Amino acid sequence: MTSRPVRIAVQIQPQHASYERMRDAVREAEDLGVDVIFTWDHFFPLNGDADGKHFECWTTLAAWAEQTSRVQLGALVTCNGYRNPDLLADMARTVDHISGGRLILGIGSGWAQRDFDSYGFEFGSTGSRLDDLAAALPRIESRWAALNPPPTGPMPILIGGEGEQKTLRMVAEHASIWHSFSGPDKLAHKLQVLRSHCDAVGRDLDEIEVSVGVGGRGREGRSAGDPEVEGQPLLDLGARLFTHGANGPDYDFTVLRRWIAWRDALNG
């Protein structure tokens, strides 16, 4: 099993809060010691008032890149269908430079039909969106190689999703981080599938950091506040990046602090 350290991330969800409050939450999260701060890539709130306050992903990331000095930053995850892949590559490269090399390109195929419809993008099917993502990833990597200046270094690519035939194959081919919301039983199975894809493309599974969403609404019956209960079984399977979601307008980090303390105890 990989010996990489345990890391803690927070997704500061850009909904129901003023930008000023969101900016304060980013500052607080970095001061608390999180390793990664994520936003998400949607155009409307995902819970609560469906027409409540909301802010766009990549302009937000550029601002966070200037505001912060230590944490990695990214989208959990960018929707491939909302931007031309070459443009997205250039945007990511630019934010990477603004941040001094701290950007993670989190990307997925997208699922929120209201976003697609309201902004005039073709929703298609689950399969077509995954096919579009598979076609986009080589274009993104090629664009990075052509840009002047290029990214500051190898750009970490995070791919989100659990689909066994297409998504996990893309993870094996392109990703340095794989993110899911799997509980222990599902994660064990998905990692077996991912290992088979890695074997097929000649890659070591240990090269991929396994990321899981935790601490939210008792997913799959798990404790939402106790990292020993929720985190340890996932850790034993190989998860190393644990992401807690924080919702506006308050961005309560009480549970997040428990995960940070757990990380510190494990990493020594």
Side-chain angles (χ1 to χ4, degrees):
M1 188 60 65
T2 179
S3 61
R4 70 171 73 240
V6 172
R7 302 202 298 158
I8 300 297
V10 61
Q11 184 187 57
I12 295 178
Q13 299 165 359
Q15 62 178 8
H16 306 309
S18 66
Y19 185 76
E20 290 77 14
R21 180 65 192 97
M22 193 161 59
R23 182 176 57 211
D24 290 346
V26 169
R27 181 180 300 109
E28 181 181 358
E30 186 170 46
D31 289 347
L32 284 173
V34 299
D35 299 288
V36 187
I37 300 177
F38 290 115
T39 183
W40 66 31
D41 190 18
H42 295 285
F43 302 129
F44 304 96
L46 295 187
N47 49 64
D49 180 1
D51 294 310
K53 293 177 181 176
H54 198 276
F55 291 97
E56 192 274 333
C57 172
W58 278 93
T59 44
T60 295
L61 282 174
W64 290 1
E66 281 285 5
Q67 175 187 343
T68 56
S69 61
R70 178 188 56 79
V71 292
Q72 285 191 290
L73 301 164
L76 193 66
V77 291
T78 297
C79 176
N80 174 67
Y82 299 161
R83 299 164 191 86
N84 172 284
D86 292 88
L87 172 61
L88 177 61
D90 203 342
M91 293 166 64
R93 180 280 310 251
T94 299
V95 176
D96 179 59
H97 277 265
I98 294 170
S99 70
R102 293 181 289 119
L103 183 76
I104 296 168
L105 178 61
I107 193 166
S109 59
W111 58 269
Q113 185 166 359
R114 184 187 181 191
D115 288 351
F116 282 85
D117 293 346
S118 295
Y119 279 66
F121 301 116
E122 181 179 354
F123 186 62
S125 65
T126 300
S128 69
R129 294 193 302 277
L130 285 167
D131 290 342
D132 288 345
L133 177 59
L137 287 164
R139 286 179 58 183
I140 290 169
E141 294 165 340
S142 295
R143 178 57 57 185
W144 282 336
L147 288 169
N148 184 15
T152 61
M155 180 83 73
I157 295 177
L158 178 155
I159 294 177
E162 301 175 353
E164 296 184 7
Q165 294 184 2
K166 295 183 177 182
T167 301
L168 293 182
R169 177 73 178 203
M170 285 184 268
V171 172
E173 292 175 339
H174 298 280
S176 50
I177 308 171
W178 168 55
H179 180 82
S180 77
F181 292 97
S182 299
D185 291 344
K186 183 187 288 187
L187 183 64
H189 170 69
K190 298 295 181 179
L191 283 170
Q192 288 180 339
V193 176
L194 180 56
R195 185 181 296 279
S196 70
H197 285 303
C198 286
D199 290 345
V201 302
R203 192 168 181 207
D204 187 341
L205 177 61
D206 282 350
E207 296 176 13
I208 301 171
E209 186 175 26
V210 178
S211 169
V212 288
V214 294
R217 293 188 297 279
R219 292 187 185 93
E220 299 187 6
R222 291 176 282 153
S223 166
D226 187 347
E228 291 287 349
V229 173
E230 185 178 2
Q232 191 64 50
L234 299 167
L235 179 74
D236 292 343
L237 290 168
R240 290 297 182 270
L241 178 58
F242 298 85
T243 299
H244 171 73
N247 187 29
D250 299 323
Y251 299 115
D252 183 354
F253 291 154
T254 302
V255 174
L256 178 64
R257 286 181 171 88
R258 298 184 192 128
W259 286 88
I260 292 170
W262 179 71
R263 175 205 64 190
D264 293 346
L266 288 169
N267 290 343

